[in-house]
Amino acid sequence: MSRNTSTAITAYRWVVFLLALGFWLYQFTRFPIEVFGWQFRYLTIWGLTANLIVAWMMLRHSMGWSDRTYNAFVSASVVLGAMVLFLYWKIYFTDPTLLYGGEKPLPWYQEYYLHGLTQLLMWFDAFFILGIFRNPWRSLAIMMAIFLSYIVWIEMLVQPLNSFPEGRVTSGLPYPFLDDMDLRARLIFYATTIGTSIIVMFTCWAVAAAIARFGKRG
């Protein structure tokens, strides 16, 4: 029996999948349906959705329902999760209103799951069980596609079709701090974020390579 299909790993993956599914479904109860884009306006929910897909892929593999691991997508999702974690807490500790405006922050159990636990659970599997970044260039292409798709989504559809939140410069973008920026400032922010994600990706690739080498020596 391989380490990816052992009873303990299968049980772990069931827990990770059911947690991700529960929190993903719960988001549909939190946002009014008349708001265009619903919860999918937020990068956090893109990250949660990616984690749910990854959890399902890994569970299928453990259950023997599929031989495919979708390693490149899992690798890209690791970077997406890292960026969600980094951006959220960086902005939150600067000023929570930059994320929430005048609204209350998320309940503690959501805040810590969406911006901490879901990433850690997936990373443990990705780095120590599955073994990721077997094709870093393909992972990079998928990661870039995700981030660029999100930027196009919020700029071309979410912002024009929503009037809230309102910022000093524009309105409709999902995060208040974005509505306080003009287009040039937002493009610089997006470019900086993508640049940071590339650095994070190659850092994760180096870590994964070191773990794999150590595992072989062990």
Side-chain angles (χ1 to χ4, degrees), residues 75 78-79 82-83 127 132-133 136 140 143 195-211:
S75 304
V78 165
V79 180
M83 292 305 297
F127 282 103
I132 52 172
F133 288 107
L140 176 62
M143 183 198 76
T196 303
S197 71
I198 293 172
I199 295 171
V200 170
M201 198 212 80
F202 283 106
T203 301
C204 290
W205 170 76
V207 171
I211 292 172

Side-chain angles (χ1 to χ4, degrees), residues 20-38:
L21 179 62
F23 274 91
W24 189 81
L25 291 173
Y26 178 64
Q27 304 312 308
F28 286 91
T29 70
R30 296 188 57 245
F31 299 91
I33 194 170
E34 61 269 16
V35 177
F36 178 82
W38 222 344

